[in-house]
Amino acid sequence: QVQLVESGGGLVQAGGSLRLSCAASGRTISSDAMAWFRRAPGKEREFVALIGWSASTQYADSVKGRFTISRDNAKNTVYLRLKSLKPEDTAVYYCAAATWAITPPQAMGAGSYDYWGQGTQVTVSS
């Protein structure tokens, strides 16, 4: 079966950085749009970043300039580099894959994705 497994989360002080990884198995993701979402306790899941099959990227305004999404198709893995972290970045971060072409507006909606990981916790302390 297709699985997405996130890793790299943890506890970090404000201003610090982390690199999250999403390793896919059971499917080659080279032609998929891959995205990161996050969900804070009691809040809706929100879009963070996307990287398309052509390496185009899209970011939420709240993380633009601080987070960077990338992919290594040879490793079937997607990454999210989080820099200049703020306490408000605290959330469970999920990766997702869209197997069908989606538009930039659709990319921001969780319903556009076919596969999801279980998430990795990022906690940013003051």
Side-chain angles (χ1 to χ4, degrees), residues 38 46-48 59-64 66-67 86 89:
R38 67 185 182 185
E46 67 174 351
F47 171 80
V48 175
Y59 296 94
D61 288 342
S62 60
V63 306
K64 193 174 299 182
R66 299 188 298 119
F67 293 6
K86 305 174 181 179
D89 294 319

Side-chain angles (χ1 to χ4, degrees), residues 81-124:
R81 184 70 179 182
L82 300 79
K83 299 184 292 184
S84 301
L85 282 163
K86 305 174 181 179
E88 51 262 45
D89 294 319
T90 296
V92 177
Y93 284 71
Y94 302 89
C95 68
T99 60
W100 294 88
I102 56 176
T103 64
Q106 289 174 322
M108 299 180 68
S112 298
Y113 298 86
D114 304 291
Y115 302 105
W116 291 86
Q118 294 300 307
T120 185
Q121 176 72 48
V122 172
T123 302
V124 184

